[in-house]
Amino acid sequence: MIRNRLRRPSERTIAGSAAALAALVVGIIQFRHGIVHLLDTVSYWSGAQAVADGHPFTSRLAPSFSNFDAIEFVQRGGRVPFVDFPLGYPLSAGIIGAVIGVRRAMQLICVLSLAAIAAAAVAGTDTKRGRTIGAAIFGTLVVMLPITRTVTQGALSEPLFTAVALWFVIALARFRGGGSFRPVAILGASLGLLRFIGGPLIVMAAWE
């Protein structure tokens, strides 16, 4: 028993932790000048702020993809239903933002998502040494890609969705190998709450 307690972490665990730590550093550096206000950023921020203020599922911005006009926006007292995107990301950011502020909550979620993406690259490989180290390097490089940097600096939902999608695939593979179905169900449901495209992925879990 003592030997088990003193057992060294596996190489995969070390590699995954190193990749996640490197991704955390990358994310923190990307936010050194704050959030870049893209069009979708403002929409997410408004929805998250409404949750933090105790008005969930609403927004003070006229939705970009809805039929609400300016007159109806005014008639509703400047607060309309949040219908631009699924509710998962603004709901998560708003709940955390009620404690630490919405801006910090959005940054925190994005940075942690980058770490989860890098760790998933390692968790999804086999235990061969060369592949484990290569996966750690690959996972770190992914979070440094220009497209990843853009959606991260804009504090969009893509980093969180990507992280959940990767771990969903890993959980599904483990379930097919005899693992528990619970992670598949939880992650699959989360995908549908983060992006509309997550809906078809839920079918994969239901098919199992």
Side-chain angles (χ1 to χ4, degrees):
M1 182 177 295
I2 295 177
R3 290 183 179 179
N4 290 336
R5 291 181 178 177
L6 297 178
R7 186 174 57 184
R8 294 179 57 187
S10 65
E11 184 173 305
R12 175 185 285 182
T13 300
I14 296 175
S17 299
L21 181 60
L24 283 175
V25 174
V26 171
I28 292 173
I29 293 175
Q30 289 180 1
F31 281 125
R32 66 188 183 279
H33 298 305
I35 296 175
V36 177
H37 291 189
L38 306 176
L39 177 61
D40 290 352
T41 303
V42 179
S43 182
Y44 280 124
W45 199 325
S46 177
Q49 189 63 58
V51 173
D53 293 340
H55 301 281
F57 317 132
T58 64
S59 173
R60 286 196 174 278
L61 295 178
S64 304
F65 309 121
S66 71
N67 293 322
F68 292 110
D69 55 28
I71 296 178
E72 189 171 5
F73 181 73
V74 174
Q75 290 176 341
R76 290 174 174 266
R79 190 179 294 279
V80 294
F82 183 85
V83 296
D84 274 359
F85 303 102
L87 301 170
Y89 181 48
L91 186 62
S92 301
I95 293 174
I96 300 174
V99 179
I100 65 174
V102 173
R103 177 178 60 83
R104 291 189 181 91
M106 294 173 69
Q107 291 175 324
L108 177 64
I109 290 175
C110 286
V111 171
L112 293 179
S113 296
L114 294 182
I117 291 171
V122 178
T125 62
D126 55 33
T127 56
K128 293 183 179 180
R129 181 172 185 178
R131 293 185 178 181
T132 300
I133 297 176
I137 296 174
F138 174 77
T140 303
L141 292 177
V142 166
V143 302
M144 298 173 64
L145 289 173
I147 185 62
T148 310
R149 293 174 56 193
T150 298
V151 296
T152 299
Q153 291 176 339
L156 303 181
S157 66
E158 278 80 1
L160 179 58
F161 175 79
T162 302
V164 174
L166 288 175
W167 282 102
F168 169 76
V169 173
I170 293 172
L172 188 60
R174 290 176 177 175
F175 168 71
R176 289 176 174 175
S180 172
F181 181 74
R182 182 176 298 177
V184 178
I186 294 175
L187 293 171
S190 299
L191 286 173
L193 293 174
L194 291 172
R195 301 291 297 183
F196 292 122
I197 197 175
L201 296 179
I202 300 177
V203 177
M204 294 175 59
W207 182 264
E208 295 295 330

